[in-house]
Amino acid sequence: MLRTLKFLLPALVPSWRFFDVIAPSPRIQFVWSESRADNIEHVSWREFRPPPAHISLIGMLGHLFWNPRRNETLYLVSCAERLLQGYTRHSEDEILRRIARELAAQTGYLQFRLLLVKRVGDSLQHTVAFHSRIQVLPMRDGL
Amino acid sequence: MSFDEAMRLTEILLGFAFAQQSIEHFNSFAKEQRLFIPRFFLALLLIAGVQADWVLLLLFLLGLVQLYYFQGPYNGGSDRMSLLILSCLCLAEWAPGVFWRELAFGYLAVQLVFSYFFSGWVKIINPEWRSGRALRDVFLFSVYPVSESLRLWSTSPRILFVAAWGVMLFELIFPLGLLMQCSLMIALVVAASFHLANACLFGLNRFFWIWLAAYPSLLWFQQRFVSALT
């Protein structure tokens, strides 16, 4: 209860600091292996929901009314940021189970990592900042 | 705009925003559906104006459950604004007298002005925003651009420099819109266009709808307090 009130307080007394600093940006990458024998460490990492190459203006306007995938992706970015501030099982679970649902994988082993992208001078630097546990699939729905 | 008209319009816009948000969760996990399907029907009741006081209270309690479920807001600033509007409407509906009702609703109007002014302030004190570098970084490597083609905008520093200053100056001078009713209308149209652009370019559709829902409070506030002073 106290924790929930702690979440509520920033809504009642907001700080309104949108985009004040453009911080290093997390990307979620994952590996999935059908069997442990495949050795998950040797499977190449794939970016979770990379943005499309192009979206038309009509598509953008349509997203005003229906944009669940994008909003879930932004939620997962929040979970990634929370993980980078300090490990929470909830954020790790949320990312794992939403990747698992997207893969529609019935069985296997799943792991994700967080790649931090930041600008150093004129070039972009990529740093691996977090590895999740290796999760056996299927996961239970709901927490 | 009278207090009652502004309250009612806010309820309708909030109901629409909540219904839109809730529908997006209908295909999600079972537990999420159990949170958002009731929220959708409560939003419809709010739009219809049925027992608004009780509906607002239930929506607020459901909002607390969602905060617990997601261990924080689902969509950062837009969820925080949703809860702020909901809390202010709830208090305004349940408060015992006119003074407390106006205070609750007025608080929303003041926070709406702050949402623009302080967003502009924290940007303009940052040298990276003043040079246009920060907005270039948004397009270059942040998660926000909705497509890869939009990242090419980072190669147009002059345009982004002008855009960055346009955003900062607009956000900072927004409170001056309160001086007259017509200037407030212009400020709100520009602000809504700004949110529309953010929705299109960065996929922040929930911000667009929820910030619109707070506008009636400011229209009432300007008429009730600022016009009376000038």
Side-chain angles (χ1 to χ4, degrees):
Chain A
M1 186 64 189
L2 207 63
R3 197 168 169 77
T4 305
L5 289 177
K6 204 182 99 186
F7 296 139
L8 179 65
L9 199 62
L12 300 181
V13 191
S15 66
W16 306 124
R17 301 175 69 88
F18 295 122
F19 291 97
D20 54 342
V21 174
I22 311 306
S25 173
R27 303 283 192 280
I28 299 170
Q29 297 186 323
F30 69 94
V31 282
W32 171 69
S33 167
E34 257 187 306
S35 68
R36 195 118 196 173
D38 289 342
N39 194 342
I40 205 162
E41 286 170 18
H42 294 114
V43 183
S44 21
W45 293 93
R46 283 193 281 162
E47 187 168 345
F48 182 60
R49 291 186 186 167
H54 180 74
I55 297 179
S56 67
L57 183 61
I58 292 174
M60 287 178 184
L61 292 173
H63 287 159
L64 272 177
F65 300 92
W66 179 249
N67 206 13
R69 193 177 159 83
R70 173 71 180 167
N71 283 316
E72 188 180 56
T73 303
L74 292 175
Y75 168 60
L76 292 182
V77 170
S78 300
C79 289
E81 287 167 349
R82 288 177 205 167
L83 273 176
L84 294 173
Q85 283 162 9
Y87 175 80
T88 64
R89 173 81 186 210
H90 175 271
S91 297
E92 188 183 35
D93 284 344
E94 281 289 77
I95 297 174
L96 280 168
R97 71 189 186 123
R98 284 165 205 268
I99 297 173
R101 187 193 54 191
E102 185 108 334
L103 287 172
Q106 299 300 312
T107 57
Y109 300 88
L110 176 67
Q111 187 181 25
F112 74 85
R113 70 178 184 183
L114 300 177
L115 198 65
L116 266 185
V117 185
K118 67 175 178 182
R119 183 178 53 77
V120 179
D122 284 331
S123 57
L124 292 182
Q125 191 180 72
H126 298 74
T127 316
V128 177
F130 177 82
H131 276 92
S132 76
R133 67 179 187 267
I134 297 172
Q135 172 66 42
V136 181
L137 300 180
M139 285 182 82
R140 267 188 322 116
D141 174 22
L143 294 168
Chain B
M1 186 177 281
S2 73
F3 180 82
D4 288 338
E5 285 169 344
M7 282 278 292
R8 185 72 200 106
L9 189 54
T10 307
E11 286 168 3
I12 291 169
L13 292 170
L14 186 71
F16 177 81
F18 278 10
Q20 188 279 326
Q21 291 172 8
S22 302
I23 288 172
E24 291 191 347
H25 293 267
F26 280 11
N27 284 329
S28 196
F29 297 101
K31 280 195 176 176
E32 226 164 291
Q33 289 174 14
R34 284 199 284 275
L35 286 175
F36 285 95
I37 291 173
R39 190 173 188 251
F40 173 76
F41 286 107
L42 286 169
L44 294 186
L45 289 175
L46 191 62
I47 294 169
V50 180
Q51 297 288 324
D53 47 357
W54 286 102
V55 168
L56 285 165
L57 192 61
L58 288 173
L59 280 168
F60 177 75
L61 294 174
L62 208 49
L64 293 183
V65 178
Q66 283 162 24
L67 276 180
Y68 177 76
Y69 179 79
F70 294 114
Q71 290 291 289
Y74 181 77
N75 268 154
S78 65
D79 273 15
R80 290 203 172 115
M81 183 53 120
S82 300
L83 279 165
L84 177 66
I85 299 175
L86 195 50
S87 307
C88 291
L89 281 182
C90 239
L91 286 170
E93 282 283 359
W94 285 91
V98 177
F99 173 79
W100 294 107
R101 297 185 73 200
E102 288 193 343
L103 189 70
F105 202 48
Y107 180 73
L108 173 60
V110 170
Q111 284 297 339
L112 180 62
V113 175
F114 285 175
S115 75
Y116 293 111
F117 179 78
F118 286 115
S119 296
W121 178 254
V122 295
K123 289 185 185 80
I124 208 159
I125 58 172
N126 180 343
E128 296 224 318
W129 266 100
R130 292 199 300 271
S131 68
R133 181 77 246 187
L135 194 53
R136 280 173 69 190
D137 284 349
V138 170
F139 283 97
L140 181 66
F141 69 84
S142 82
V143 292
Y144 291 103
V146 291
S147 67
E148 287 299 328
S149 59
L150 285 177
R151 294 211 182 274
L152 291 175
W153 287 28
S154 66
T155 58
S156 307
R158 285 183 188 169
I159 294 172
L160 293 182
F161 175 82
V162 173
W165 274 96
V167 169
M168 287 186 291
L169 291 177
F170 166 71
E171 288 181 331
L172 283 169
I173 65 169
F174 182 85
L176 296 178
L178 281 169
L179 289 175
M180 286 180 290
Q181 197 174 24
C182 66
S183 60
L184 179 59
M185 293 300 288
I186 293 168
L188 291 179
V189 169
V190 176
S193 310
F194 169 65
H195 292 299
L196 183 63
N198 285 339
C200 289
L201 300 175
F202 303 139
L204 304 172
N205 64 322
R206 294 186 178 197
F207 280 77
F208 175 72
W209 296 116
I210 204 66
W211 251 260
L212 284 192
Y215 288 0
S217 68
L218 202 53
L219 290 168
W220 161 77
F221 184 85
Q222 197 275 340
Q223 222 171 338
R224 172 73 177 83
F225 295 103
V226 185
S227 290
L229 290 174
T230 53

